[in-house]
Amino acid sequence: MNIPNAISLGRLLAVPITIWLIITGQLQNAFWVFVAAGVSDAVDGFVAKRFDRTTELGRYLDPLADKTLLVSIYITLGSQGHLPIWLVLLVVTRDLLIVGGALLSAVLAERLSLHPSRISKANTAAQIALAALVLGEVGLNLSLGRISEIATYVVAATTTISGANYLGAWLRRSNNVEKETSS
């Protein structure tokens, strides 16, 4: 296991710790663990690309760690009343759509591209920023005014656009596969 993969694995292991910290009301500590996990995402990507340490395992482990962290944090923050439930449902539905499409593609023996689009990357960044803002507000007693509210709607918009983008790409790909097999 190389360094970027170890960092991704560490991020995955931070998920239950962060959830436990939120549930037990240790929101300041949850904020710092979440920030460290977010920074680790940037670090593992930088190290993997800069030092040519990308691996097949890393292509799966990094997005798995990202999805697990974000979905878990959103569900936990929503269940604790720190995020609107409608936003949590939107984020989780989008990720279920992506995972479901990946599983269906595997069942249909289609080659799946694991290259996220720009909107998907923007969505991930917006989701991380909102979770950090919310944890900062409640854990560090920050008064951010309307910033978190605006960030909530940015996440809703990027989540919706990204989900539609994935769904459209998958439907186009499925339609092309159907045309090729019927010809």
Side-chain angles (χ1 to χ4, degrees):
M1 177 171 289
N2 67 17
I3 291 172
N5 291 347
I7 293 170
S8 290
L9 186 58
R11 189 166 59 259
L12 196 55
L13 295 174
V15 172
I17 294 167
T18 309
I19 291 169
W20 179 77
L21 290 169
I22 294 169
I23 290 172
T24 59
Q26 299 178 61
L27 297 164
Q28 184 176 19
N29 292 333
F31 171 80
W32 291 114
V33 172
F34 182 76
V35 167
V39 169
S40 79
D41 186 29
V43 170
D44 73 18
F46 172 78
V47 171
K49 290 174 186 160
R50 174 77 166 90
F51 299 103
D52 196 28
R53 298 287 184 229
T54 57
T55 65
E56 190 67 23
L57 174 62
R59 288 183 60 215
Y60 292 94
L61 189 57
D62 180 61
L64 174 66
D66 292 345
K67 294 254 177 272
T68 304
L69 178 65
L70 285 172
V71 167
S72 299
I73 294 301
Y74 271 67
I75 290 171
T76 307
L77 288 173
S79 73
Q80 298 295 305
H82 301 300
L83 280 175
I85 295 301
W86 65 264
L87 182 66
V88 174
L89 290 171
L90 184 63
V91 167
V92 170
T93 300
R94 174 199 170 262
D95 285 345
L96 287 174
L97 174 73
I98 293 169
V99 170
L103 291 173
L104 190 54
S105 292
V107 167
L108 298 174
E110 292 181 21
R111 182 160 162 70
L112 179 65
S113 174
L114 294 176
H115 303 289
S117 64
R118 284 188 182 137
I119 186 64
S120 180
K121 289 180 181 184
N123 178 247
T124 299
Q127 287 181 1
I128 290 169
L130 177 59
L133 285 170
V134 169
L135 285 170
E137 273 187 316
V138 295
L140 303 176
N141 295 319
L142 298 176
S143 180
L144 300 175
R146 294 188 44 100
I147 294 172
S148 292
E149 183 181 346
I150 292 167
T152 296
Y153 291 109
V154 168
V155 167
T158 59
T159 299
T160 301
I161 295 166
S162 174
N165 187 43
Y166 274 110
L167 181 60
W170 189 80
L171 289 173
R172 283 188 300 278
R173 182 177 177 88
S174 296
N175 193 28
N176 288 340
V177 169
E178 275 185 27
K179 287 179 184 176
E180 289 173 9
T181 57
S182 65
S183 299

